[in-house]
Amino acid sequence: CTHGLAWESVLQLFCEMAECRVDRDFITYGAVLGSCGKGGAWRQAMRLLHEMAGIRVETDTIAFSATISACENGGVWEPALQLLCDMAAFLVERDTITFNATISSCEKGGVWKPALQLLREMSEVSVEMNTVTFSAAISSCEACGEWAQTLQLLLKMGADRVEIDTTTCSTAVSACGICMHWKPALELLHEMAENRVERQAVAYIAAVSACENGRLGQPVLKLLGEMVQHLV
């Protein structure tokens, strides 16, 4: 059982199994990969994945997903992208979870174009895109100051009938606020109210910041009043 153990401890136990000539099978490798995934130990996870292929232990969607998650949690996006390409080359099924983890690695790596390319690829290969998918892509765009792209992604979510939640909208408002675009920030807050999407403090703060940068005193006061009334 790997619950509660750090990936270093799990990996040490795994190595001791080899020293004691205890058979390490698909399930054992999967457990260690899962631990490395949670701990962001992407180099170790990739080494294990290559080792599995070398000794002909099955490398399935779960094994690749755990390794991609390790890349995501380790803040590296290029290895994650390569792993996703390897899955296609080796005819390993790529599902929503796998794509989501790869897009999230782009977010944490501070790149947005690869994230949008992955969205297009999901559409091309008919892999379902959900709220988590779009949220990760929107966060990637926000981190890079691509506020217009966040709005386009929100529109696509609506067109594809994907649930637009509080976090997704707040991130888009934040992107507009960071880039000092007060008008779309205010419009998004209004749409959130109309669609009964909960408005978090971060969304209000981002909109207030955008208005302040645009030297709009009255909207700032109105937003602050709404925030106090809504959040208190």
Side-chain angles (χ1 to χ4, degrees), residues 3-217:
H3 180 70
L5 289 176
W7 67 266
E8 295 96 336
S9 301
V10 174
L11 195 59
Q12 180 59 39
L13 288 171
F14 186 71
C15 292
E16 289 174 3
M17 288 178 67
E19 292 171 3
C20 297
R21 297 184 179 180
V22 177
D23 185 41
R24 301 185 299 180
D25 58 11
F26 167 78
I27 296 173
T28 315
Y29 271 98
V32 182
L33 281 173
S35 181
C36 289
K38 292 175 183 176
W42 63 276
R43 289 187 178 88
Q44 291 78 6
M46 291 189 73
R47 180 175 60 79
L48 287 170
L49 194 68
H50 289 307
E51 186 179 307
M52 290 174 72
I55 61 175
R56 296 183 180 180
V57 173
E58 182 186 1
T59 51
D60 64 354
T61 303
I62 296 173
F64 271 98
S65 291
T67 309
I68 290 172
S69 291
C71 295
E72 174 198 353
N73 292 323
V76 293
W77 64 275
E78 289 175 306
L81 207 59
Q82 183 57 55
L83 285 166
L84 196 69
C85 292
D86 290 343
M87 291 179 74
F90 299 145
L91 303 179
V92 178
E93 181 184 1
R94 301 182 298 173
D95 59 12
T96 303
I97 294 172
T98 313
F99 272 98
N100 285 356
T102 310
I103 293 171
S104 291
S105 75
C106 294
E107 172 199 345
K108 294 179 180 178
V111 293
W112 64 277
K113 287 184 179 179
L116 297 192
Q117 178 57 45
L118 288 170
L119 281 182
R120 287 190 287 270
E121 188 173 346
M122 290 179 76
S123 181
E124 289 169 2
V125 298
S126 300
V127 174
E128 182 184 0
M129 292 178 281
N130 57 22
T131 305
V132 175
T133 312
F134 280 98
S135 182
I138 287 172
S139 293
S140 299
C141 294
E142 179 212 12
C144 298
E146 295 293 329
W147 66 275
Q149 292 292 343
T150 67
L151 301 183
Q152 289 297 318
L153 288 170
L154 282 178
L155 288 174
K156 181 168 175 55
M157 289 180 76
D160 293 351
R161 296 183 179 180
V162 177
E163 180 185 359
I164 300 174
D165 63 2
T166 302
T167 302
T168 310
C169 283
S170 296
T171 304
V173 173
S174 177
C176 295
I178 291 169
C179 297
M180 305 181 193
H181 290 279
W182 60 270
K183 190 174 181 180
L186 294 182
E187 288 175 350
L188 274 174
L189 276 180
H190 181 67
E191 287 178 14
M192 289 173 75
E194 282 191 338
N195 296 317
R196 297 182 180 179
V197 176
E198 182 185 357
R199 291 169 290 178
Q200 296 177 331
V202 64
Y204 278 107
I205 293 168
V208 166
S209 176
C211 291
E212 284 180 337
N213 290 325
R215 298 182 180 179
L216 302 172

